[in-house]
Amino acid sequence: MRSGLIGRKLGMTQLFNEQGAQVAVTVVQVKPCVVVSQKTVEKDGYTSVQLGTETVPASKLSKPLRTFFEKKELEPMRLLREFRVSQENMLDAGSKIAVDHFAKGQLVDIAGTSVGKGFAGGMKRHGFGGMPASHGVSVSHREIGSTGNRQDPGKVFKNKKMPGHMGAVRVTTLNLVVEEIDTDRGLLFIRGSVPGSKNGIVYVRDAIKVAR
């Protein structure tokens, strides 16, 4: 298991592959990530590396974070993220990894925060069919229908799918394809649906559920 990278989703564009086919891709900008600290089995019970990227003035950070970076003798960074790694792929503190950490054609998993949709009904949020379009239904076409039971148990069970807040949650999309890599500008061109809004933070790692 290797470390992942921290990136930003810039938006979408299109590429043309070797066969001349048009491919829709999402552009992810990956600035060089610095290994800030390590966690080991002896001290923490597992192995991981903490990466940081996007340097900022020290005045932009809280005092505990400023002290943390001063002890590490590193520039203050806006984004920090821990990635679990295997022992043989442990990286030394202070080392840098960039977009060439991945290869063209590789499968990756990308995690991010999905676009917030606000309050949504059952049809949009859960894909309910709604009520009939005729047969006496007048103003309840998009209602979700009955949510309770009879006298026994006489309640609505927990986790019942109902209208409510939609989006703005952590989402991981699996097995996306790295269509192209621009090492000069630090860009990944990903074929597939990348979660999050434009300029949102995403975390890219090697795919862990590749089909056999």
Side-chain angles (χ1 to χ4, degrees):
M1 184 187 299
R2 302 192 307 160
S3 170
L5 289 176
I6 307 170
R8 281 188 181 274
K9 177 181 175 179
L10 298 185
M12 293 195 68
T13 184
Q14 61 186 21
L15 298 175
F16 293 91
N17 58 19
E18 290 81 359
Q19 291 75 35
Q22 176 183 328
V23 181
V25 293
T26 304
V27 185
V28 176
Q29 182 184 40
V30 179
K31 295 182 178 179
C33 296
V34 181
V35 179
V36 176
S37 63
Q38 300 174 327
K39 290 196 175 180
T40 60
V41 175
E42 296 77 16
K43 186 177 180 181
D44 305 287
Y46 65 99
T47 55
S48 71
V49 292
Q50 186 181 42
L51 301 185
T53 187
E54 295 191 9
T55 57
V56 292
S59 59
K60 296 287 186 180
L61 299 179
S62 63
K63 187 175 180 181
L65 273 178
R66 289 200 299 268
T67 306
F68 172 78
F69 284 110
E70 287 171 3
K71 288 182 179 179
K72 300 291 183 181
E73 298 181 352
L74 294 170
E75 287 186 276
M77 284 171 273
R78 185 194 312 274
L79 302 176
L80 291 173
R81 170 71 179 177
E82 185 177 302
F83 291 93
R84 295 288 287 265
V85 297
S86 53
Q87 187 65 47
E88 61 271 15
N89 291 316
M90 182 69 79
L91 300 169
D92 296 328
S95 58
K96 292 185 178 182
I97 51 178
V99 70
D100 55 6
H101 184 66
F102 298 108
K104 181 180 177 180
Q106 177 184 347
L107 295 179
V108 294
D109 298 340
I110 300 184
T113 302
S114 62
V115 177
K117 304 289 175 68
F119 191 95
M123 293 180 70
K124 181 174 180 179
R125 191 183 187 201
H126 301 295
F128 287 178
M131 304 293 277
S134 60
H135 296 289
V137 178
S138 57
V139 294
S140 304
H141 301 292
R142 298 183 65 87
E143 292 286 342
I144 64 173
S146 174
T147 61
N149 296 274
R150 293 190 173 187
Q151 182 174 350
D152 180 27
K155 65 176 182 180
V156 178
F157 286 107
K158 288 184 178 181
N159 302 318
K160 168 67 180 170
K161 292 180 179 179
M162 298 180 73
H165 187 272
M166 182 179 177
V169 294
R170 174 67 176 268
V171 175
T172 301
T173 309
L174 306 179
N175 297 338
L176 302 177
V177 181
V178 178
E179 195 69 31
E180 194 64 61
I181 296 177
D182 189 336
T183 55
D184 296 332
R185 294 184 292 174
L187 301 178
L188 285 173
F189 298 90
I190 307 294
R191 185 177 64 197
S193 176
V194 175
S197 57
K198 289 184 180 179
N199 206 39
I201 307 300
V202 294
Y203 307 105
V204 189
R205 70 180 186 207
D206 297 338
I208 61 172
K209 291 185 178 180
V210 181
R212 292 182 180 178

